[in-house]
């Protein structure tokens, strides 16, 4: 068992876990989920499960310490004649220290396992003598569960949630198997208690969960795995292809990444429903965005919200940045000043975002690419509005919106080209070739059909893209076809599941002649 | 309460009907998608190994199973030319025992061999539960194996029956020319160690042995010479396994069955596989074993086997 997309997971592990969950008494259901989650973790990462256990223990102890400190602060504040300001300052300092210990312990594990080699590689050319680092490996989903661990600690510190005295509940919150591989990144308040409560699962949840899993499988196996036949060889040897093929590969990679990641998220959300858990949505029709920042509010939603809550706001509201914002406001005016000062927090967010995706220079470049675009977008916005007003261009018209959609798509595809590259250097080189060496000949003379996908493959992908567009438009209008099928009676609801299953069986890119794509976000 | 029971029963009925309909459609699709002949042009996977299904019924006395070690080492046409033994190599690259069992059972639908030779390299190749499940499901519902044929379906695929008419000219053997000498300094170095057998392989070997027994064939384990794939630890483990299951075991690398391989001339890839010259030596030794120990009949001169003479002539080995 190596992922959600293996027969042993889909046919044995998932139905077996769901059945056990239903059969045991409600008070023991958490144990089924915890055992299944650790079994899944063990199957994918073996003894590295010890690291997620350590993370759970660290947040349990730190959370308890924070809870105790908050209670003592409350008692001291309640005492008559207390210097409330001094008490608050004293306990804020102590709780910040406790929080820092817990957060740094979790981030320390992440950095040691994921980034130590990368950081040593950056330092070595500067003449630093670095010992050879042991190769321990990377526990599955470490970047995801570390973010959940940190969010829990910060939420306890902020008083948003109460410290949890149950270490097993925290372990389940971190390891719940439908979300451990690629997210979504959940908050304690969203899932921890629900996971523990073992609420009964309704037939409707089983149907909508199964249908959602099948929809995710279709995205992943029909589109993402099929596109691998073209994307993989082009990016493995980009020097053999001209700019036209590289542009096509970048477009198809963007589609592949979307279908892989959002398909996995559909499976995660669907699996959650099979256990009565409502996991947060991670995608909201990202390709309908009109700006890069809107794209990131719709793509990997839980990651964006995490950075907003735990990086952007804390940095923006820190003393030095508040002072900088005030100075900028005075120097540049009430609109431009805050926009300019927001660059500090934005830089932190996009540096972290780039590095979160991986220990590689291409990810750093990817983060900086979006930082520059989004920050510059905010800075030029007043000038852009003024220019449009002077030229008489309506910014609420279909033409302007269409321009924005196309512009955002280009920005996203260029970003994914960097993201898929082997290094920042290669990313820049490919961007250069995609623009300066672009030739349409290879797209028209049959060259692309010799890379790995034939006409029939392109037709299947095209039809599925149309299906995705229709589903996206419906969802934008608040219509959820899979959920709606339940109300239309047994024939419709089973027909939907049957159609999705047959689509996967017949048009899925599996078996002889296909190499399924590795779950891309699982390595992050 | 009564309402809840009624609702639960209704959902159960819905689910049962849905499962039955789904299975029925998968069976129907399997009929459509399965290749209608055992040739590459019809979409057949592993056509060379599946060529055995094109042989006349009950004419193949020996089946060779295994991976590339099997199809590069055993030459059925040489066996025919030298001893009149009819055989076929049902070998595929990097074959895993779950596929070995499927291929054997498919071959046994049409043939009743007296001996089944399993080349032992694949005993040590691991496979996952998922791969085993995929093999089992594909045997019952071929649409899972041949689903990609939607690209090339023809009207006759819908109602046509499966006919296997094609036979590989070399009867599954792949002759490799060329020489790349091997370093045999550590070849079959003595040890009492036992190589580790992957988890499910014991059970699958038992299944293969039972399938042979059911069809009246004798299963024989044979280790062909290879400096890269074979060693004493594997020999020891295979010997123990054969003893446990009551199977015959012949190791051509060591002991009195050893074939005199010249590692500077009889391998084409530095000891991994044998070339034509090495295969000739191995086939000669196996032929002696099949005739001597297992009493394989000589069909040369029998009109019912004229096609073997023709294939032998076409191969040029009779010249």
């Amino acid at each position: 068992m190596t992922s959600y997309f293996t027969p042993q997971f889909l046919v044995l592990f998932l139905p077996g876990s769901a059945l056990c969950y239903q059969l045991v008494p409600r008070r023991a259901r958490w144990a089924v989920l915890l055992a299944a989650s650790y079994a899944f973790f063990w199957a994918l990462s073996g003894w590295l499960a010890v690291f997620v256990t350590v993370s759970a223990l660290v947040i349990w102890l730190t959370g308890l310490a924070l809870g105790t400190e908050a209670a003592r602060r409350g008692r001291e504040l309640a005492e008559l004649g207390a210097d409330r300001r001094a008490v608050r300052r004293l306990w804020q300092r102590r709780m910040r220290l406790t929080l820092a210990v817990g957060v740094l312990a979790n981030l320390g594990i992440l950095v040691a396992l994921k980034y130590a080699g990368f950081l040593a590689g950056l330092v070595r050319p500067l003449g630093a003598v670095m010992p050879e680092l042991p190769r321990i490996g990377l526990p599955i989903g470490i970047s995801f569960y570390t973010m959940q661990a940190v969010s829990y600690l910060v939420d306890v510190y902020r008083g948003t949630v109460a410290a949890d005295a149950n270490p097993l509940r925290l372990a389940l919150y971190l390891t719940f198997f439908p979300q451990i591989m690629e997210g979504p990144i959940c908050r304690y308040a969203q899932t921890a208690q629900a996971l523990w409560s073992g609420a009964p699962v309704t037939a409707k949840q089983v149907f909508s969960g199964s249908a959602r899993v099948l929809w995710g499988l279709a995205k992943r196996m029909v589109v993402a795995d099929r596109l691998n036949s073209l994307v993989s060889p082009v990016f493995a040897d980009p020097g053999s292809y001209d700019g036209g093929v590289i542009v096509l590969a970048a477009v198809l990679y963007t589609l592949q990444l979307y279908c892989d990641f959002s398909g996995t998220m559909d499976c995660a959300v669907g699996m959650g429903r099979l256990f009565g858990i409502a996991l947060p949505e991670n995608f909201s029709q990202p390709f309908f965005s009109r700006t890069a920042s809107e794209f990131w509010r719709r793509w990997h939603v839980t990651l964006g919200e995490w950075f907003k809550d735990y990086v952007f706001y804390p940095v923006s509201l820190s003393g030095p940045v508040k002072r900088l914002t005030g100075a900028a406001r005075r120097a540049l005016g009430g609109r431009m000043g805050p926009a300019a000062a927001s660059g500090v927090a934005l830089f932190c967010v996009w540096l972290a975002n780039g590095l979160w995706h991986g220990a590689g220079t291409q990810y750093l470049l990817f983060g900086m690419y979006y930082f520059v675009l989004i920050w510059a977008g905010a800075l030029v916005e007043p000038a852009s509005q003024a220019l449009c007003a002077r030229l008489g261009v309506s910014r609420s018209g279909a033409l302007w919106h269409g321009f924005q959609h196309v512009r955002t798509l280009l920005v996203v595809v260029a970003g994914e080209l960097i993201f898929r590259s082997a290094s920042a250097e290669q990313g820049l080189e490919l961007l250069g070739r995609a623009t300066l060496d672009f030739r349409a000949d290879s797209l028209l003379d049959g060259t692309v059909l010799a890379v790995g996908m034939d006409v029939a493959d392109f037709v299947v992908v095209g039809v599925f893209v149309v299906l995705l567009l229709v589903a996206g438009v419906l969802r934008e209008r608040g219509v959820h076809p899979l959920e709606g099928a339940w109300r239309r009676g047994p024939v419709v609801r089973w027909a939907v599941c049957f159609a999705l299953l047959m689509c996967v069986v017949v048009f899925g890119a599996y078996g002889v002649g296909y190499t399924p794509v590795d779950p891309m976000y699982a390595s992050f | 309460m009564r309402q809840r029971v009624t609702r639960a029963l209704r959902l159960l009925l819905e689910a049962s009907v849905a499962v039955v309909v789904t299975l029925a459609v998968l069976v129907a699709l399997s009929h459509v998608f399965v290749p209608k002949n055992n040739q590459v042009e019809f979409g057949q996977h592993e056509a060379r190994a599946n060529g055995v299904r094109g042989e006349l019924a009950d004419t193949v006395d020996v089946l060779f199973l295994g991976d590339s070690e099997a199809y590069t080492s055993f030459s059925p046409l040489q066996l025919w030319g030298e001893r009149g033994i009819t055989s076929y190599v049902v070998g595929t690259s990097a074959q895993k025992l779950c596929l070995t069992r499927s291929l054997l059972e498919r071959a046994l639908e049409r043939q009743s061999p007296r001996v089944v030779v399993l080349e032992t390299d694949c005993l040590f190749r691991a496979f996952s539960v998922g791969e085993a499940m995929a093999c089992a499901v594909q045997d019952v519902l071929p649409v899972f194996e041949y689903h990609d044929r939607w690209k090339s379906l023809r009207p006759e695929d819908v109602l046509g029956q499966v006919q296997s008419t094609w036979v590989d000219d070399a009867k599954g053997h792949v002759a490799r020319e060329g020489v790349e000498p091997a370093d045999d300094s550590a070849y079959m170095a003595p040890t009492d160690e036992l190589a580790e057998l992957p988890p499910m392989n014991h059970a699958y070997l038992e299944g293969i042995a039972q399938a042979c027994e059911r069809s009246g064939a004798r299963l024989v384990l044979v280790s062909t010479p290879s400096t890269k794939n074979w060693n004493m630890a594997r020999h020891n483990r295979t010997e123990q396994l054969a003893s446990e299951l009551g199977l015959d075991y012949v190791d051509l690398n060591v002991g009195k069955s050893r074939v005199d391989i010249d590692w500077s001339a009889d391998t084409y890839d530095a000891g991994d596989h044998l070339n034509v010259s090495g295969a000739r030596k191995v086939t000669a030794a196996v032929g002696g074993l099949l005739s001597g120990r297992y009493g394989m009949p000589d069909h040369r001169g029998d009109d019912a086997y004229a096609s073997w003479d023709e294939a032998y002539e076409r191969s040029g080995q009779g010249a």
Side-chain angles (χ1 to χ4, degrees):
Chain A
M1 191 160 62
T2 50
S3 77
Y4 301 138
F5 305 101
T6 56
Q8 55 267 55
F9 180 85
L10 291 167
V11 179
L12 297 178
F13 189 87
L14 180 61
S17 305
L19 198 62
C20 285
Y21 182 84
Q22 286 290 348
L23 292 179
V24 301
R26 183 171 175 174
R27 64 180 180 281
R29 284 178 172 170
W30 65 267
V32 172
L33 289 184
L34 188 61
S37 298
Y38 263 85
F40 184 73
F41 205 107
W42 183 269
L44 269 68
S45 296
W47 73 274
L48 298 175
V50 79
F51 288 105
V52 72
T53 309
V54 168
S55 285
L57 284 173
V58 166
I59 64 168
W60 172 58
L61 292 171
T62 313
L64 286 182
L66 285 169
T68 308
E69 287 168 344
R72 288 180 62 187
R73 180 187 59 187
R75 282 198 297 274
E76 287 185 19
L77 284 172
E79 284 173 12
L80 281 174
D83 179 352
R84 299 173 68 86
R85 199 169 170 182
V87 170
R88 277 211 187 88
R89 198 176 300 142
L90 172 74
W91 283 105
Q92 187 185 49
R93 225 177 13 247
R94 285 186 185 174
M95 287 178 72
R96 276 187 179 171
L97 188 65
T98 308
L99 174 69
V101 169
V103 169
L104 288 177
N106 274 287
L107 292 181
I109 295 172
L110 177 68
V111 169
L113 295 180
K114 187 171 175 180
Y115 299 101
F118 171 67
L119 295 174
L122 289 181
V123 173
R124 272 199 196 100
L126 304 175
V129 181
M130 298 292 293
E132 199 56 43
L133 299 166
R135 288 182 183 276
I136 295 174
L138 215 51
I140 189 74
I142 185 170
S143 300
F144 294 94
Y145 75 70
T146 301
M147 295 184 97
Q148 292 201 173
V150 170
S151 73
Y152 165 72
L153 291 179
V154 176
D155 288 352
V156 172
Y157 167 80
R158 288 175 176 167
T160 318
V161 298
D164 195 332
N166 188 337
L168 296 177
R169 182 160 42 218
L170 288 170
L172 179 55
Y173 159 65
L174 291 191
T175 60
F176 182 46
F177 73 86
Q179 64 174 72
I180 188 66
M181 266 184 78
E182 302 194 19
I185 300 163
C186 301
R187 308 293 172 84
Y188 178 88
Q190 285 174 319
T191 58
Q193 298 299 335
L195 285 166
W196 195 260
S197 69
V201 181
T202 63
K204 185 182 174 186
Q205 282 172 314
V206 172
F207 162 76
S208 69
S210 306
R212 192 72 187 267
V213 169
L214 285 168
W215 175 239
L217 277 176
K219 275 185 185 173
R220 161 87 201 199
M221 292 176 70
V222 177
V223 183
D225 287 346
R226 189 172 300 281
L227 290 172
N228 208 32
S229 305
L230 188 143
V231 171
S232 209
V234 171
F235 280 99
D237 183 21
S240 300
Y241 303 96
D242 65 26
V245 176
I246 288 171
V247 168
L248 178 70
V251 171
L252 295 183
Y253 172 67
T254 306
L255 178 62
Q256 183 191 31
L257 186 63
Y258 171 70
C259 286
D260 170 50
F261 191 19
S262 73
T264 306
M265 286 304 99
D266 289 322
C267 288
V269 170
M271 287 188 282
R273 284 181 193 166
L274 295 179
F275 299 99
I277 308 297
L279 293 176
E281 296 288 345
N282 226 0
F283 285 86
S284 176
Q285 298 72 255
F287 296 110
F288 291 176
S289 307
R290 289 193 278 134
T291 64
S293 54
E294 185 190 354
F295 177 81
W296 278 97
R297 286 194 298 276
R298 288 168 172 261
W299 172 286
H300 206 170
V301 174
T302 57
L303 179 74
E305 286 179 348
W306 194 97
F307 280 124
K308 186 179 75 183
D309 289 347
Y310 302 106
V311 178
F312 186 83
Y313 286 144
V315 172
S316 297
L317 299 175
S318 65
V321 174
K322 277 204 300 207
R323 285 193 289 279
L324 178 71
T325 307
R329 195 189 304 269
R330 285 189 294 278
L332 301 170
R335 195 162 178 199
M336 200 65 167
S342 70
V344 177
L346 267 182
F347 177 80
C348 294
V349 164
W350 285 105
L351 180 67
N353 188 312
L355 280 174
W356 180 87
H357 280 95
T361 52
Q362 72 274 35
Y363 299 118
L364 271 178
L365 179 62
F366 176 74
M368 290 304 100
Y369 167 80
Y370 274 106
F371 161 64
V372 170
L373 279 174
I374 292 173
W375 192 37
L379 291 175
V380 302
E381 180 61 15
S384 166
Q385 282 179 7
L387 187 64
C388 285
R390 181 167 295 178
L391 296 174
V393 176
S394 164
R395 287 166 67 92
S396 55
L399 199 63
W400 178 255
H401 286 174
F403 161 73
Q404 285 183 306
H405 282 302
V406 172
R407 181 189 63 186
T408 306
L409 282 175
L410 289 174
V411 162
V412 169
V413 169
E416 298 305 349
L417 182 60
I418 297 170
F419 189 77
R420 182 61 173 80
S421 301
S423 64
E425 193 182 4
Q426 192 194 56
L428 291 172
E429 184 206 325
L430 293 184
L431 272 179
R433 288 187 43 211
T435 46
L436 303 174
D437 186 29
F438 180 84
R439 285 197 299 273
D441 303 0
S442 52
L443 302 179
L444 304 171
D445 65 6
T447 305
V448 290
L449 297 176
V451 180
M453 283 174 62
D454 56 25
V455 174
D457 289 319
F458 279 103
V459 169
V460 165
V461 170
V463 169
F464 211 90
V465 166
V466 171
L467 202 60
L468 285 171
L469 274 172
V470 171
V473 168
L474 288 174
R475 287 186 66 127
E476 283 290 283
R477 294 178 177 178
V479 180
H480 298 268
L482 292 181
E483 281 75 3
W486 172 262
R487 290 191 300 275
R488 293 175 184 270
V491 174
V492 172
R493 80 175 76 120
W494 288 110
V496 166
C497 285
F498 178 78
L500 287 170
L501 178 66
M502 291 304 142
C503 180
V504 171
V505 170
V506 175
F507 297 111
Y510 62 93
V512 176
Y514 293 105
T515 307
V517 62
D518 288 329
M520 297 174 196
Y521 268 72
S523 56
F524 296 151
Chain B
M1 181 67 187
R2 196 173 156 189
Q3 209 175 15
R4 280 183 66 186
V5 171
T6 310
R7 197 184 310 150
L9 284 174
R10 205 179 62 211
L11 284 170
L12 199 66
L13 182 70
E14 269 182 36
S16 306
V17 170
V19 168
V20 169
V21 169
T22 304
L23 283 175
V25 172
L26 286 173
V27 168
L29 285 178
S30 291
H31 175 80
V32 173
F33 279 74
V34 74
K36 299 301 178 289
N37 208 325
N38 63 337
Q39 290 165 269
V40 174
E41 293 74 16
F42 285 79
Q44 176 70 52
H45 296 160
E46 305 290 4
R48 192 180 57 235
N50 278 293
V52 69
R53 285 162 34 206
E55 294 284 0
L56 292 173
D58 299 324
T59 57
V60 176
D61 287 335
V62 179
L63 282 179
F64 293 102
L65 305 174
D67 57 17
S68 53
E69 298 295 328
Y71 66 65
T72 54
S73 301
F74 304 122
S75 168
L77 288 180
Q78 185 188 336
L79 274 181
W80 172 261
E82 290 176 1
R83 296 178 182 274
I85 297 172
T86 53
S87 63
Y88 202 100
V89 186
V90 185
T92 57
S93 295
Q95 192 174 101
K96 294 168 180 172
L97 281 189
C98 52
L99 179 60
T100 309
R101 195 168 78 175
S102 299
L103 288 169
L104 171 65
E105 285 181 352
R106 276 181 229 172
L108 291 179
E109 287 169 8
R110 196 170 163 82
Q111 299 296 334
S112 305
R114 297 172 184 225
V115 169
V116 172
V117 172
L118 174 61
E119 208 291 325
T120 54
D121 190 40
C122 58
L123 289 180
F124 296 92
R125 185 168 289 114
F127 54 96
S128 66
V129 176
E131 286 173 297
M133 285 168 57
C135 267
V137 170
Q138 287 170 3
D139 285 346
V140 183
L141 296 167
V143 64
F144 284 96
E145 183 177 358
Y146 292 105
H147 64 97
D148 214 29
R149 289 195 62 234
W150 61 267
K151 292 179 182 178
S152 57
L153 282 181
R154 293 174 289 191
E156 51 267 36
D157 281 305
V158 179
L159 295 173
Q161 293 300 310
V162 176
Q163 289 180 319
S164 297
T165 58
W166 179 81
V167 176
D168 177 37
D169 257 358
K171 313 287 185 188
H173 172 62
V174 176
R176 298 289 195 199
E177 304 286 350
V179 176
E180 189 184 341
D183 173 12
D184 61 345
S185 54
Y187 175 52
M188 300 306 283
T191 178
D192 292 332
E193 282 177 24
L194 290 172
E196 196 179 333
L197 198 68
M200 290 186 292
N201 290 23
H202 192 287
Y204 269 80
L205 180 59
E206 270 189 88
I208 289 168
Q210 283 163 7
C212 290
E213 202 178 322
R214 277 198 302 276
S215 72
R218 181 111 181 222
L219 178 63
V220 182
L221 305 182
V222 173
S223 305
T224 56
S226 171
T227 60
K228 286 193 176 166
N229 298 306
W230 208 247
N231 53 49
M232 278 310 290
R234 286 190 166 193
H235 168 91
N236 297 340
R237 186 72 186 87
T238 309
E239 199 167 53
Q240 187 191 58
L241 199 58
S243 161
E244 278 171 28
L245 299 176
L247 304 175
D248 291 350
Y249 175 44
V250 179
D251 191 342
L252 303 177
N253 294 269
V254 72
K256 59 184 178 194
S257 302
R258 192 176 81 87
V259 175
D260 190 20
I261 294 294
D262 177 356
W263 289 109
S264 65
D266 292 338
T267 170
Y268 76 92
D269 54 2
D272 200 351
H273 301 90
L274 299 175
N275 59 16
V276 175
S277 152
R280 196 172 295 128
K281 292 178 183 177
V282 165
T283 305
V286 170
L289 188 81
L290 290 169
S291 295
R293 196 189 291 183
Y294 299 104
M296 288 296 112
D298 183 347
H299 292 295
R300 284 175 294 186
D302 184 340
D303 288 347
Y305 293 85
S307 68
W308 285 81
D309 283 326
E310 289 161 16
Y312 188 66
E313 289 302 320
R314 279 199 302 274
S315 74
Q317 292 185 51

